[in-house]
Amino acid sequence: MQAAIEASVSLSETGEDGLGIVDVRADLEKLVMLRHDLRCIARIADELSSDQRLVLACQLLPLGPAETCMRLGWSSEKYRKVAQRARARLRALIDREEGER
């Protein structure tokens, strides 16, 4: 709720073009495409290995590769290889998913 309030625009404000309602948050088409991509990833994530899912999830955290390796007990080479393969596999799965539509 707090995020919605902070992102809202007052109806009494007037934008540069004279309109009373202005969406300053994001380009609608880009937002729709990002949501589509997230839904697609959620559907196909189970086709990645557990290590691949783990490394991709860790990349979303504010941790660097070195700290992630330390926490997981991985070498930097393992992290690099798993991350590289995860991105390639995810891209292939997304391409396959889009090709089926």
Side-chain angles (χ1 to χ4, degrees):
M1 184 58 107
Q2 184 64 29
I5 291 171
E6 289 174 4
S8 65
V9 178
S10 171
L11 292 177
S12 64
E13 293 178 357
T14 303
E16 290 178 11
D17 56 2
L19 297 175
I21 301 174
V22 179
D23 185 358
V24 295
R25 293 173 291 176
D27 177 31
L28 181 59
E29 182 180 1
K30 183 176 180 177
L31 185 59
V32 169
M33 293 306 295
L34 289 172
R35 287 181 180 168
H36 168 74
D37 289 347
L38 284 174
R39 282 188 208 100
C40 181
I41 290 169
R43 278 193 307 272
I44 61 179
D46 285 341
E47 296 185 47
L48 298 171
S49 73
S50 59
D51 281 352
Q52 290 172 339
R53 287 191 307 269
L54 181 60
V55 77
L56 290 176
C58 287
Q59 289 179 347
L60 298 174
L61 299 172
L63 303 174
E67 187 173 351
T68 301
C69 288
M70 184 182 71
R71 289 181 181 212
L72 297 176
W74 289 4
S75 68
S76 59
E77 188 62 17
K78 177 177 179 174
Y79 177 90
R80 185 189 67 76
K81 286 181 179 181
V82 171
Q84 181 180 9
R85 290 176 181 152
R87 288 188 301 270
R89 178 79 174 133
L90 186 60
R91 179 80 268 160
L93 291 169
I94 290 171
D95 289 346
R96 183 196 73 195
E97 180 91 1
E98 289 176 353
E100 292 176 358
R101 291 179 181 249

